[in-house]
Amino acid sequence: MATVTGFVEKIKYRNEDNGYSVLQVTSEGEEYVLVGTFHYIGEGEMIEASGTMTEHPVYGEQLQVESYEVKAPEDTAAMERYLGSGAIKGVGAALAARIVRKFKADTFRIIEEEPERLAEVKGISERMAMEISSQMEGKKDMRQAMIFLQGYGISVNLAAKIYQEYGPRMYGIIRENPYRLADDIPGVGFKMADEIARRAGIAADSDYRIKAGILYVLLAAAGQGHTYLPKAELIRQASELLLVPEDGIEGYLMDMQMEKRIVARQSGSPDGTPGQPADPAVYASAYYYMELNTARMLHDLNIRGYTPEEEIYEKIRRIQKQNEMELDPLQVRAVVEAVNSGLLIITGGPGTGKTTTINAIIQYFQMEDMEILLAAPTGRAAKRMTEATGWEAKTIHRLLELNGGPQEDGTAPMRFERNEENPLDADVIIIDEMSMVDIQLMQSLLKAVNVGTRLILVGDVNQLPSVGPGNVLKDMIHSGRFNVVMLTHIFRQAAESDIIVNAHRINEGQPVDLARRSRDFLFIRRDSPDAIISAMITLMTRKLPDYVHAEPFDIQIMTPMRKGALGVERLNTILQSVLNPPDRAKPEKESGGVVFRQGDKVMQIKNNYQTEWEIRGKHGIPIDSGMGVFNGDMGVIREINLYAELLTVEFDEGKMVEYSFRQMDELELAYAVTIHKSQGSEYPAVIIPVYSGPRLLMTRNLLYTAVTRARACVCLVGVPEMFYVMAENQAEQRRYSGLKERIEEIPW
C-alpha cells in the first residue's frame, strides 16, 4: 500500500456522473497521477490518498486510489495555494495572497469564525466576506455528510445525490424516515431504503416502512406491465415483502388513499376480457391518473367529420389509378374512416396490407395539402416505416422532442418539449406498432395532439403487449368506443410467404405442417439443448448469411427465456465466444459477471432519458445530437477506454453513446434476446430455439410474435412437439390494466 500527500495541481479528467477522476498531485516537488473516484475535490486542495501503485502501459505510473482524505492546509503557503486555486469562487491568486498576508496562520480560523474581518482586506466587501465563509463551510459540511452517509453503507455517488437533494435536513431524514429516499432520489428503491432503515434502527412494523413497502409493490408491478394490482394480490405481496401479517397491511390502504398516494377503484378483469371483477383495483396514484387523463384525451379527439363518402371514394379511385394499386374493401373503409374520424385504429396481422393502407391514407391527405407526421415507438420501427412509406418517420420520443436535462428549477429530469402548451403542428399523425406503446408514452403523445388533429393508430393487437405498463391498444379496441378497422385479407404476394401464412395459422389455432419444404419457414429437429445450440450457430455463421444476404450480426436468435440451457444469458456467452472471441487488440470489461468486449452486439435494457447521443460525420465531427436511449435499442460496442472508464456504443442510425463503467448495468449482450425484447424490430432472418420451458412463457402469442419478426426467413430449431404445445397454449400472462374501464366511465 502506497500513500501520497500533496496538492491537486490539475484535474486531468473527470466524469461528472460517477466522480471517476484522474488527478495530477504535487508532493514534496514530485508529481504523481492519482486515479479513482473522488467527489467534491477541487484543484488546489490537499489530499492524502492510499492505494496501489501500478504501471499503465500507455500512461505510465499511477496510484490506483482505494481510500483518501481531503486535509485542511496546514501552513500559510498551503493556505494561499488553496484559496487561489479557484476552489473558492471569486478568489483568485492575488486576492488569496492578500488574505494570507493579512491573517497569516490564522487565515482559516478567521474565515470560519470571524468572516466579517475579511472585509479588512482590500478588494473584499462584507457581502463577499460572508460568501467566502459560506463556501468554506459548505465544503466542510459536504465532507461531513459523506462520512455520515457512508456509515450507513451508502455509496459515494449516492451520498452526493442525497446531500444535493436534502442538504443538512438529510440527518433527520436518515434517522427518522429513510424511506423518503425511495420517493425522492432516482436510483434508490425500497430495498435499499429498507437496508438504510435497518442500520438506522427503525422498527420492522414502522408506519413509514409498511407504507413504503406497499408503494414499492405497486411500482414493482408496473415494471411487470401492470397499472394496478387487485387488493388481495397487493396485500399478499406486501406481506411477503415486509414479513408482516396480511391483516397488518390492509389498515394502511385507507390512510394512503387519504394521503393521495394510492387510488382504489372497481375495475375490470385482466386484459379487458369479459367478466365481473372480484376485487378492487389498487393503483399507485400516478398510474391511475395516467389512465384517467388518457381516457379523457382519447374521448376529446374522437370526433366525426362530414366529408361525403362518394367524394372520398372518387379520390381513392384516383390514388389507385396513379399508383397502379388495388385496395380491398376493408382498406378502402380504413381510408374513409381516416378522413372522417378524429381517432382511428387500424389493426391486422402480417400480409394484410397495413403498409399499403397507410400509404393510401398519406396520399389522400397529401392531395388535401395537409401536414402529416409519422412515428413509431422504436428507432428500428421508425426506420421500417420510413422505408415502407417514403416519408420520414421519427421515434415518438423524438417527435415529442424529448429533453433529458433539468428544468430551470432543477426538477423533472425528463420532459417532452411538445405538450399541451406546445402541441404538434400537424393535421394528421400516424403512429405504427401501437402494441408497443405503454400508458406513460400514450399520455405524453396525447398531450401534444390538438383536438381536431386526426390521430391514426396502426398495430397488430395479437402481438405481445408493451414492455412498459398498460395494455393500451387492446384496451382501446375492447372498449368499443373508437372506430376500428380490422384488416383480415392476406394478399396474394404475402400468401406466397410461409412466414405470413404460418403466422396466421398459429394465431388462429390452425395446424402448421412442420415437415413441409419451404423457402422461408424451416423447422430443424434437434433433441437436446447442446444440439440445438450447435445447429443455431451453424445457421447463424454459415448457412443463413448468404441465403438472406446479411451479416451474422444482423441475424437474430430469439428465445422465450432468460435463464436455463436455452436462455439468453447462456446463449449470449456461447455466441460471444464464437462471433466475437477474445483478442488482444480488443479491450474488454467485466460487469455484473458478464464480459463486454469491443465489437460485441449489445442492447439497452432500461429507458435513460438523460443519456446524450451524437451522430458523427467525416473525421468524427458531430453532425446531429439528442437525448435518450431506450429499452430495446440495439447497437455495437465500438470502443472501450479502460483509462477513462468509458464504453462507446453505436446504435441505429449511427447514434454514438458513451457509458461510464458504472452505467454498464444498463447494457446486456444481444446475440440472443428474449422474444419480448424483439417487439417492433424486424430482421433478415430469425432463429428460434423450441424446447421445454415454463408454461407461462411457452405461449401462442409469444410464438406468433417471434415468427412475425422475420423478413426473409425464420428457422425453428428443436422439438416439434414443443412447437405444437406453444401453438395450442392460449394462456397469456395476466396484465392488470384499467384503461378500458376509464374509457367506459366517460359519458359518450
Side-chain angles (χ1 to χ4, degrees), residues 23-234:
L23 310 180
Q24 181 180 312
V25 172
T26 299
S27 175
E28 298 179 354
E30 296 287 328
E31 286 192 353
Y32 295 88
V33 174
L34 275 57
V35 178
T37 299
F38 305 90
H39 275 286
Y40 297 95
I41 191 167
E43 292 179 354
E45 295 197 273
M46 191 173 197
I47 184 173
E48 182 176 278
S50 298
T52 305
M53 201 66 78
T54 62
E55 185 73 26
H56 192 280
V58 176
Y59 303 105
E61 189 179 62
Q62 51 188 219
L63 182 71
Q64 295 283 343
V65 175
E66 296 171 19
S67 63
Y68 75 95
E69 181 183 353
V70 176
K71 303 178 77 67
E74 295 172 351
D75 56 46
T76 56
M79 291 176 185
E80 182 178 331
R81 189 172 192 158
Y82 174 71
L83 290 173
S85 68
I88 304 300
K89 190 176 178 181
V91 179
L95 185 55
R98 291 203 298 274
I99 293 172
V100 175
R101 267 201 312 272
K102 173 73 175 174
F103 299 112
K104 300 183 173 54
D106 218 18
T107 296
F108 275 31
R109 187 195 66 77
I110 294 290
I111 292 174
E112 291 177 7
E113 298 176 11
E114 302 177 72
E116 66 279 358
R117 289 190 57 194
L118 288 173
E120 298 172 16
V121 177
K122 184 180 178 182
I124 299 180
S125 64
E126 287 188 14
R127 179 177 176 181
M128 186 178 180
M130 301 312 292
E131 176 61 27
I132 292 170
S133 177
S134 176
Q135 288 187 57
M136 290 282 286
E137 187 66 26
K139 287 178 179 290
K140 189 168 77 173
D141 289 347
M142 166 62 77
R143 293 190 191 107
Q144 290 173 345
M146 302 292 262
I147 293 167
F148 172 81
L149 292 169
Q150 287 174 59
Y152 288 91
I154 298 170
S155 70
V156 175
N157 196 29
L158 183 56
K161 291 181 182 178
I162 293 170
Y163 187 80
Q164 286 172 344
E165 177 70 25
Y166 300 123
R169 292 184 298 126
M170 67 160 207
Y171 296 99
I173 290 168
I174 293 292
R175 292 185 180 117
E176 295 169 16
N177 179 20
Y179 297 100
R180 275 191 60 182
L181 272 62
D183 294 336
D184 299 339
I185 311 291
V188 179
F190 170 80
K191 291 185 178 179
M192 184 182 291
D194 203 32
E195 175 59 22
I196 295 168
R198 185 188 67 77
R199 293 183 182 219
I202 292 174
D205 60 353
S206 155
D207 289 359
Y208 291 134
R209 180 173 186 264
I210 292 175
K211 289 178 181 179
I214 290 169
L215 199 59
Y216 170 79
V217 169
L218 289 172
L219 296 177
Q224 300 298 314
H226 309 296
T227 56
Y228 71 85
L229 283 178
K231 180 180 172 183
E233 179 70 12
L234 170 62

Side-chain angles (χ1 to χ4, degrees), residues 10 27 36 81 88 194 272 359 370 594 620 645:
K10 186 177 182 182
S27 175
R81 189 172 192 158
I88 304 300
D194 203 32
N359 281 328
M370 290 187 174
V594 176
E645 297 200 352

Side-chain angles (χ1 to χ4, degrees), residues 372-389:
I372 306 164
L373 294 176
L374 273 58
T378 67
R380 284 174 177 261
K383 185 178 179 182
R384 284 171 48 209
M385 196 180 189
T386 299
E387 291 168 351
T389 63

Side-chain angles (χ1 to χ4, degrees), residues 515-530:
R516 181 176 180 271
R517 293 180 66 85
S518 169
R519 290 179 294 105
D520 60 2
F521 190 95
L522 313 173
F523 196 100
I524 299 167
R525 179 164 193 138
R526 294 293 185 272
D527 295 323
S528 71
D530 287 346

